[in-house]
Amino acid sequence: MLREWPETLAIRPRHGGVTDGHVLVIPKVHVADVAEDPSVSATTMLRAAELAAEAGDCNVITSRGPSATQTVRHLHLHLVPRADGDGLLLPWSTTRPAER
């Protein structure tokens, strides 16, 4: 556990994440996805934003539904720190940031 609030947890992904510092921000109550309970989603995003302010450049990502690559049916936000030249492509990217 990296941080805990009354309603939210921040943890490292079980298998290390895609970059150093990758964090999952997860509500303590069960919410299947970002659309199920907007108030829980908003609070979870608030906590992710607090962490993002400390992280510098990063992606904050969540998915809703299998077609959008959601594999875990519990709301969670990925905070993925980024650096120039890290080589990480987003699912909809075809070029690396330096190539744009």
Side-chain angles (χ1 to χ4, degrees):
M1 176 122 30
L2 298 171
R3 194 159 308 166
E4 182 175 9
W5 299 267
E7 72 295 313
T8 312
L9 303 171
I11 63 172
R12 295 223 185 273
R14 182 176 296 166
H15 300 291
V18 296
T19 64
D20 286 340
H22 183 165
V23 175
L24 298 175
V25 183
I26 306 167
K28 290 181 179 179
V29 299
H30 177 66
V31 176
D33 60 47
V34 68
E36 185 172 299
D37 187 328
S39 64
V40 171
S41 297
T43 301
T44 306
M45 178 56 84
L46 169 69
R47 301 312 185 188
E50 291 171 358
L51 294 174
E54 300 169 12
D57 292 355
C58 62
N59 294 116
V60 179
I61 302 169
T62 192
S63 300
R64 179 175 186 249
S67 297
T69 72
Q70 182 182 15
T71 58
V72 175
R73 295 290 297 161
H74 186 92
L75 174 64
H76 59 286
L77 281 71
H78 294 262
L79 191 144
V80 181
R82 300 300 304 271
D84 287 336
D86 64 17
L88 182 63
L89 295 176
L90 293 173
W92 54 87
S93 296
T94 57
T95 59
R96 289 176 173 76
E99 297 172 348
R100 292 187 184 130

